[in-house]
């Protein structure tokens, strides 16, 4: 059984959703990042960057245990382990990796900064942060909206891929980062349609609902 070390955050939810969608049994270990548990030596041993999520798979390559940190690496590891959610052919696999990397470098770090600047007191620093990171977040939502204008899933035809799970983790928090900068998911109708469809999937709903704190 896979051990999932995580918390109730966008990056944490990506992995519970992926595990549910892939039908892999797992045990949750809550790492309470509000109480600094990510700095405990036992967690640093599997996640040296002191961030959730991380996994331990007792049945890793060659039959022995393996630990994996960084949500993108975990998603690729799980897809390769199961042969699921990585695309039906080489072209789809490229698209899956493109959109996974797009999320890891964009629609994650930038709305994440919006979340942080929303917590700052009124003033020029808050205004600068919300303008800079808010504009980039809106641009990224626009790119995603265009991508989803003629397809059901972000990178694959026959079902969701790990790219959908990665992006979903962040869109799941759209009310916070879009609402916080005075807009909403309604401004991105294709993303909105995709989001509703993903959240209506029983396995995704289970991964989004499992207790992570
Ligand atoms: N690139 C990392 C980012 C993970 C990340 O930012 N995790 C946050 C919660 S969403 C965290 O653990 N923060 C605790 C800390 O920075 O000390 C990934 O995708 O796994």
């Amino acid at each position: 059984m896979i051990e999932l070390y995580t918390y109730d955050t966008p990056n944490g939810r990506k992995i519970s959703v992926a595990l549910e969608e892939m039908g892999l049994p797992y045990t949750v270990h809550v790492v309470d990042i509000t109480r600094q548990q990510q700095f405990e030596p036992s967690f640093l041993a599997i996640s040296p960057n002191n961030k959730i999520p991380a996994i331990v798979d007792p049945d890793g390559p060659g039959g022995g245990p393996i630990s994996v940190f960084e949500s993108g690496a975990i998603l690729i590891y799980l897809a390769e382990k199961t042969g699921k959610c990585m695309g039906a052919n080489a072209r789809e696999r490229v698209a899956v990796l493109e959109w996974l990397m797009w999320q890891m470098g964009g629609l994650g770090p930038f709305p994440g900064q919006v979340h942080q600047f929303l917590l700052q007191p009124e003033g020029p620093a808050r205004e600068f942060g919300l303008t800079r990171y808010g504009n980039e977040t809106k641009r990224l939502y626009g790119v995603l909206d265009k991508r989803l204008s003629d397809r059901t899933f972000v990178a694959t035809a026959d079902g969701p891929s790990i790219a959908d799970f990665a992006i979903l983790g962040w869109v799941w928090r759209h009310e916070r980062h879009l609402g916080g900068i005075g807009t909403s998911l309604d401004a991105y109708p294709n993303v909105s349609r995709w989001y509703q469809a993903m959240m209506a999937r029983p396995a995704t709903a289970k991964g989004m609902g499992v207790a992570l704190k």
Side-chain angles (χ1 to χ4, degrees):
M1 175 124 33
I2 288 176
E3 311 283 329
L4 170 60
Y5 294 80
T6 195
Y7 197 60
D8 188 25
T9 72
N11 291 315
R13 286 285 168 198
K14 293 174 187 175
I15 310 302
S16 54
V17 167
L19 287 164
E20 294 290 348
E21 286 280 357
M22 293 175 189
L24 283 170
Y26 61 101
T27 306
V28 172
H29 300 269
V30 173
V31 179
D32 188 342
I33 61 174
T34 69
R35 293 173 53 218
Q36 312 303 310
Q37 289 179 349
Q38 71 273 33
F39 296 105
E40 288 180 7
S42 59
F43 182 65
L44 290 174
I46 60 169
S47 188
N49 196 36
N50 63 263
K51 291 183 192 292
I52 63 91
I55 62 164
V56 175
D57 181 0
D59 182 26
I66 189 170
S67 62
V68 190
F69 71 98
E70 279 291 328
S71 61
I74 297 169
L75 289 170
I76 294 169
Y77 173 79
L78 296 175
E80 289 183 341
K81 178 182 175 77
T82 59
K84 294 178 181 173
C85 305
M86 195 70 190
N89 53 51
R91 284 184 183 276
E92 279 199 351
R93 186 184 152 85
V94 168
V96 169
L97 291 173
E98 283 177 330
W99 286 94
L100 176 63
M101 299 305 152
W102 176 86
Q103 182 283 310
M104 292 294 293
L107 198 70
F110 290 98
Q113 291 300 321
V114 171
H115 293 178
Q116 293 305 314
F117 278 96
L118 285 169
L119 298 172
Q120 300 308 307
E122 293 289 344
R126 183 180 196 270
E127 200 179 316
F128 172 83
L130 289 181
T131 301
R132 178 172 171 79
Y133 298 115
N135 284 345
E136 181 63 1
T137 296
K138 285 191 278 190
R139 190 191 68 78
L140 289 161
Y141 267 89
V143 170
L144 182 60
D145 200 60
K146 191 170 175 204
R147 174 70 179 177
L148 286 167
S149 64
D150 60 354
R151 64 192 70 229
T152 306
F153 302 107
V154 171
T156 42
D158 292 339
S161 71
I162 55 173
D164 294 278
F165 308 147
I167 295 166
L168 187 73
W170 280 92
V171 176
W172 174 63
R173 282 290 179 250
H174 64 91
E175 284 178 10
R176 191 166 165 200
H177 51 255
L178 292 181
I181 56 172
T183 183
S184 77
L185 206 56
D186 294 345
Y188 309 95
N190 299 313
V191 180
S192 184
R193 171 183 41 76
W194 165 87
Y195 177 72
Q196 308 300 337
M198 286 298 298
M199 294 298 280
R201 295 175 61 85
T204 289
K206 206 168 165 201
M208 283 297 184
V210 66
L212 298 187
K213 67 178 179 184

